[in-house]
Amino acid sequence: MGECKGRIVIALGGNALQDSKGPATAEAQLEVVKKTCSFIGEIVKQDYEIAIVHGNGPQVGRMVLASEAAKNVTPALPFDVCGAMSQGYIGYHIQQAMREILREIGKGYIPVVTLVTQMVVDKNDPGFAAPSKPIGPFYNAEEAQSIAAETGYVMKEDAGRGWRRVVASPLPARIIEVGSIRRLWDTTIVIACGGGGIPVIELDDGNIEGVAAVIDKDFAAELLAEEVSADTLMILTEVEKVCLNYNKPNQQAIDHMTLEEAEAYIAKGHFAPGSMLPKVQAGMKFAKSGHAKKAIITSLYKAVDALEGKTGTVITLE
């Protein structure tokens, strides 16, 4: 890819894939992804090497809903299969959009591939006993209560944005295809661990089996960043900086956090579970992996500025 300025694993949030206020169609998603990739292209233009990890909460939720709605016509698909399908669907859109932007910036020689990625999780992970990962569309309280009564789904309020179904979210332990990702790194932009990776458990005979869960993509991106010896974990979300007292009159943006400071903020309950909390925790874990490592949390639109130290929230070891 040319002289490398640094290795970055980029984690894309839902707003980078779909407009929450727009239509939930494939065509609409592709248009949003094209805008997203124009910002990612600016990072590649500056000779950073990247890998891309994306979420899949809304997409996999709709796939499960569609599959269950059609169960009288065709058998419903297992949750892990829907996760695999979402990796291909979203990855295809990112590949197409990145190819277009790479040609525009004179780097059309860089291939972009999506790797269907399996992620080993512990079958005894406490996440299976306490579902916390939001998937699918937003509902109001009355709709959520009705859905829970009808289906038995666990529904929770999601950071003031509405109610959503939540599923188990075990922590990622091992990326099965990590060797292939490493081999591709120097020549290729790899889209990997989509939706956090397809969660699988290891059986006693050494084989693996898919399970019904969604791994948080920020933790998956963090593990990938460690495994490929990245310099920076960049978590792109809806806000420019992490804030204390978010959405309150005394809201305060944070430019930099050490691990000690981040732990203190978490203890005081500043970051919402299922929203900013996993992003901060993933950033902390990566910063802990080495003195030169840093995590950046910022908005998609400020990604380049954040890399240059002009904005965003940076998490470092000390």
Side-chain angles (χ1 to χ4, degrees):
M1 289 191 211
E3 187 175 347
C4 174
K5 286 178 66 175
R7 291 181 159 214
I8 305 172
V9 171
I10 298 173
L12 296 177
N15 67 309
L17 303 174
Q18 287 190 341
D19 181 353
S20 61
K21 297 179 181 177
T25 63
E27 294 80 7
Q29 175 173 290
L30 180 57
E31 288 307 306
V32 174
V33 169
K34 284 181 177 180
K35 293 177 185 175
T36 293
C37 289
S38 69
F39 291 97
I40 297 175
E42 287 301 310
I43 296 173
V44 179
K45 188 177 180 179
Q46 295 186 31
D47 293 321
Y48 289 98
E49 292 180 356
I50 68 165
I52 300 171
V53 177
H54 61 79
N56 71 345
Q59 294 86 351
V60 75
R62 284 195 296 272
M63 287 178 180
V64 171
L65 285 173
S67 178
E68 290 177 350
K71 63 187 176 185
N72 292 330
V73 179
T74 184
L77 295 170
F79 204 105
D80 58 310
V81 173
C82 291
M85 290 170 65
S86 75
Q87 283 192 1
Y89 162 37
I90 298 168
Y92 156 61
H93 277 174
I94 297 174
Q95 281 178 239
Q96 198 174 82
M98 282 302 299
R99 181 177 185 272
E100 186 175 312
I101 195 66
L102 289 171
R103 293 177 70 193
E104 288 178 11
I105 64 174
K107 291 183 179 285
Y109 55 88
I110 302 175
V112 187
V113 303
T114 299
L115 189 63
V116 175
T117 316
Q118 301 170 96
M119 188 75 77
V120 175
V121 299
D122 183 348
K123 63 183 178 182
N124 297 315
D125 189 293
F128 286 110
S132 62
K133 181 63 180 173
I135 65 165
F138 290 90
Y139 300 97
N140 62 38
E142 186 178 344
E143 290 170 331
Q145 188 175 7
S146 175
I147 291 168
E150 183 180 340
T151 64
Y153 292 166
V154 179
M155 308 292 288
K156 288 186 179 179
E157 201 275 331
D158 183 5
R161 297 177 293 179
W163 291 73
R164 297 173 78 185
R165 180 186 175 186
V166 292
V167 296
S169 185
L171 290 172
R174 182 166 62 86
I175 305 167
I176 288 183
E177 291 79 15
V178 71
S180 297
I181 297 170
R182 290 191 188 115
R183 285 190 288 274
L184 286 166
W185 185 279
D186 290 333
T187 60
T188 305
I189 294 173
V190 183
I191 303 155
C193 304
I198 305 162
V200 297
I201 57 172
E202 290 182 302
L203 304 177
D204 293 339
D205 61 5
N207 290 321
I208 58 173
E209 181 179 90
V211 291
V214 173
I215 298 166
D216 190 284
K217 63 100 178 37
D218 298 313
F219 287 120
E222 190 284 325
L223 180 57
L224 178 62
E226 285 197 48
E227 292 287 353
V228 299
S229 301
D231 307 294
T232 303
L233 170 64
M234 174 166 272
I235 299 175
L236 300 180
T237 184
E238 293 181 284
V239 295
E240 186 172 339
K241 297 181 181 182
V242 178
C243 293
L244 305 179
N245 305 306
Y246 183 64
N247 265 347
K248 296 178 180 178
N250 59 339
Q251 177 175 305
Q252 178 186 347
I254 306 170
D255 297 321
H256 176 259
M257 285 189 285
T258 65
L259 289 184
E260 186 177 354
E261 289 168 338
E263 286 169 358
Y265 294 145
I266 289 172
K268 293 179 181 177
H270 278 291
F271 310 129
S275 182
M276 187 54 73
L277 180 59
K279 294 171 175 55
V280 172
Q281 289 174 325
M284 292 168 64
K285 189 171 186 297
F286 184 67
K288 198 179 293 184
S289 69
H291 278 277
K293 308 291 185 180
K294 66 178 178 182
I296 300 173
I297 303 175
T298 192
S299 78
L300 168 68
Y301 314 107
K302 297 290 184 177
V304 175
D305 286 344
L307 273 178
E308 295 173 353
K310 297 175 182 177
T311 190
T313 299
V314 179
I315 303 174
T316 56
L317 187 62
E318 52 191 25

